Amino acid sequence: MASISNNNSSTSLYSSPKGTVRCVIGGQWGDEGKGKLVDIIARNHAIIARYNGGSNAGHTIVDEKGKKFATNLLPSGVLTKGCYNLIGNGVVLEVPKLFSEIDVMIEKKKDDDDGVIQDLEQRILVSDRCHLVFGFHKLIDGYQEGVLQNEGLQIGTTKKGIGPTYTTKAARSGIRAGELLHFDTFEKKYRSLLQTLKSQYKEFKDLQEYDADAELKSLREVYVPRVSPMIIDTVSYLHKAIYVEGKDVLLEGANAVMLDIDFGTYPFVTSSSPCVGGACTGLGIPPTSISEVYGVVKAYCTRVGEGPFPTELKDELGEAIRKRGNEFGTTTGRPRRCGWLDVVAVKYGCMINGFTALCLTKLDVLDECDEIKVGVKYLVNGVEVESVPHSVETLDKVEVVYETFPGWKTDVSKARTLEDLPENAQKFIKRVVELVGVPIKWVGVGAGREAMVLLN
């Protein structure tokens, strides 16, 4: 059947992007070093767009002077001069936390001469459709986790109010950032939402006594004047940037594949969609606009909180990796559980996201290991399972088949090319590529921006 086209139609603007859109996604259980990769390649992009999660995410960026910056809400392009940082509709935003991060960054950078902070707030954009996190959401988060803990079913939430905010969003009672521009209407909706939640948690004394007036006063007098200029229609903004102006855009995911609300180790997951589909719904861009998808995985594996972890090391070696890799949560400070690289989980993430390349991070953490293992198969009752089982009970019982590699016992932190790496490290990287079936484009060998091996 013939199609009818109209070259003058506005819809033709969206058939072929003029700019390049790339996406960075965590390929494990989070904390893989996504922020570092985004920070490094941000200089080649006009816009960095965060599409999911909230202040439960923790990204660490190290600038050229070795200063560390921990961000939870701010996209990782904030330290790149001239780069716009967009918080999409799929994010749940705690406004006071956003400005706490901004103020800390300005304070830490105030004596630097790189010009990054001069226009920082002008380079931050917030979707008018982004749902808001309030103090009572955080109270409920902690309360719910406490109830589950009493029953031995705790999730390991960060207690930042993320789950309860996504719950009110799904229940169609949530409040979006655009409402702040009409404060009288916003206040009515705020009080209505709080009253609804109080009726659902009648036994929760702290919620019943919640000081709504104080929070509203703080928002009205302190935060709304600062955030209002940032709030825009980001859907139209992104479409114009990609399809009309030809700007390159980098999409930044929080959390990771194995924490995805649909594809992760449910219920031990986050409350949003970190995978590539979440980028489309969390920003309002079409799938056809995304040309490259990068998965970030550590050379080993970690996870924070409860839930199955097939390759976990519960011994002195796991503790040594934790200490050497400084594996403590950016958001909570909790010690991360450490284990070997799990190829089965990485391949699962590749299936879902269609990774076009991988970034293998923290190779240097394995420098002192005599030998290194990689989990290559799952067996259940002696029979290989094709991929990650949906059931956490089954995943808890899998027997992992490992391949073992000799360590390199050499400091790799100064390496900048594949040839700079010791032979055993090169063999390890090449074997991971063979096992996963996706090329590795970057290898992280230290914390700083410069500590990255770029592969052809």
Side-chain angles (χ1 to χ4, degrees):
M1 181 181 294
S3 63
I4 300 174
S5 63
N6 179 0
N7 291 332
N8 295 321
S9 170
S10 60
T11 58
S12 66
L13 290 174
Y14 310 122
S15 59
S16 144
K18 293 182 179 179
T20 300
V21 181
R22 301 174 177 92
C23 188
V24 173
I25 296 171
Q28 295 165 314
W29 276 277
D31 308 306
E32 302 92 352
K34 300 179 290 293
K36 176 181 176 178
L37 178 61
V38 171
D39 176 53
I40 289 171
I41 61 179
R43 64 199 71 179
N44 300 321
H45 298 80
I47 302 164
I48 310 299
R50 169 86 178 271
Y51 60 82
N52 77 297
S55 59
N56 58 333
H59 294 169
T60 301
I61 309 169
V62 182
D63 68 9
E64 287 91 345
K65 297 184 178 180
K67 289 184 180 179
K68 287 187 176 182
F69 298 87
T71 66
N72 302 111
L73 283 166
L74 286 172
S76 299
V78 286
L79 293 181
T80 301
K81 193 172 181 179
C83 182
Y84 280 80
N85 295 266
L86 186 148
I87 296 173
N89 57 274
V91 176
V92 288
L93 176 65
E94 182 186 352
V95 175
K97 179 68 176 68
L98 173 67
F99 287 104
S100 172
E101 288 184 37
I102 291 171
D103 292 342
V104 167
M105 187 163 289
I106 290 173
E107 177 63 26
K108 291 184 75 171
K109 295 283 290 180
K110 66 181 181 180
D111 296 324
D112 293 353
D113 58 2
D114 55 13
V116 167
I117 62 170
Q118 273 68 23
D119 62 347
L120 180 58
E121 291 197 29
Q122 287 73 45
R123 293 188 292 111
I124 297 171
L125 307 172
V126 174
S127 170
D128 51 9
R129 292 170 170 83
C130 178
H131 278 252
L132 298 174
V133 181
F134 301 110
F136 52 76
H137 284 122
K138 295 195 287 184
L139 281 180
I140 292 169
D141 203 358
Y143 176 77
Q144 290 176 334
E145 185 73 354
V147 171
L148 290 171
Q149 188 169 4
N150 291 337
E151 299 172 356
L153 300 172
Q154 64 269 26
I155 301 296
T157 174
T158 58
K159 301 177 185 177
K160 300 295 183 181
I162 309 305
T165 305
Y166 279 115
T167 299
T168 53
K169 175 180 178 177
R172 296 166 296 184
S173 57
I175 302 174
R176 304 194 290 184
E179 315 270 12
L180 291 171
L181 303 177
H182 311 281
F183 203 85
D184 289 344
T185 304
F186 162 80
E187 182 174 347
K188 292 177 182 177
K189 291 184 177 181
Y190 171 97
R191 292 188 183 279
S192 175
L193 172 59
L194 178 57
Q195 191 57 44
T196 298
L197 293 172
K198 283 183 176 181
S199 70
Q200 295 170 358
Y201 295 91
K202 293 180 179 178
E203 73 289 355
F204 185 20
K205 184 179 178 182
D206 288 351
L207 183 63
Q208 298 301 323
E209 297 175 353
Y210 189 76
D211 193 345
D213 291 335
E215 184 166 47
L216 287 167
K217 184 175 188 291
S218 176
L219 287 168
R220 183 190 302 107
E221 297 179 0
V222 179
Y223 295 110
V224 169
R226 289 182 74 181
V227 77
S228 292
M230 301 176 180
I231 298 172
I232 65 167
D233 173 5
T234 54
V235 175
S236 298
Y237 176 87
L238 280 174
H239 276 261
K240 183 179 180 182
I242 296 167
Y243 288 94
V244 179
E245 299 171 339
K247 293 180 178 178
D248 292 343
V249 179
L250 186 60
L251 316 181
E252 180 179 18
N255 314 118
V257 175
M258 298 302 292
L259 295 175
D260 188 279
I261 187 70
D262 288 301
F263 304 112
T265 51
Y266 190 90
F268 303 100
V269 293
T270 193
S271 301
S272 62
S273 299
C275 290
V276 69
C280 297
T281 58
L283 292 167
I285 61 172
T288 51
S289 69
I290 303 173
S291 59
E292 297 175 47
V293 184
Y294 304 141
V296 184
V297 298
K298 283 175 179 167
Y300 50 102
C301 196
T302 62
R303 84 168 292 172
V304 174
E306 307 298 323
F309 185 4
T311 61
E312 184 173 10
L313 290 165
K314 300 180 180 180
D315 56 13
E316 293 180 359
L317 180 55
E319 180 62 28
I321 291 174
R322 180 183 299 115
K323 289 180 179 178
R324 181 166 173 78
N326 192 29
E327 295 295 355
F328 299 89
T330 304
T331 301
T332 63
R334 291 179 295 178
R336 296 171 184 147
R337 300 154 63 190
C338 297
W340 296 121
L341 177 63
D342 185 339
V343 165
V344 181
V346 175
K347 289 171 70 175
Y348 175 68
C350 292
M351 285 193 292
I352 295 166
N353 295 285
F355 292 143
T356 53
L358 297 178
C359 174
L360 187 73
T361 63
K362 305 192 82 165
L363 186 73
D364 55 301
V365 174
L366 303 180
D367 282 353
E368 298 178 4
C369 293
D370 293 323
E371 63 178 26
I372 296 156
K373 294 185 178 183
V374 174
V376 296
K377 292 181 183 178
Y378 290 168
L379 302 180
V380 177
N381 298 323
V383 178
E384 182 179 355
V385 293
E386 189 173 342
S387 187
V388 177
H390 83 279
S391 164
V392 292
E393 289 78 17
T394 302
L395 194 55
D396 259 335
K397 297 175 183 177
V398 299
E399 175 190 349
V400 181
V401 177
Y402 291 96
E403 287 189 14
T404 303
F405 303 82
W408 39 91
K409 307 292 285 186
T410 303
D411 180 3
V412 300
S413 63
K414 301 296 189 294
R416 297 296 178 266
T417 68
L418 181 64
E419 292 71 25
D420 291 339
L421 293 169
E423 183 179 358
N424 284 349
Q426 292 185 41
K427 289 180 178 178
F428 173 78
I429 293 166
K430 290 175 181 177
R431 182 57 178 153
V432 172
V433 172
E434 291 174 358
L435 289 166
V436 176
V438 175
I440 292 175
K441 190 171 183 178
W442 304 269
V443 178
V445 292
R449 275 178 173 172
E450 77 291 344
M452 187 73 86
V453 174
L454 178 62
L455 306 183
N456 293 324

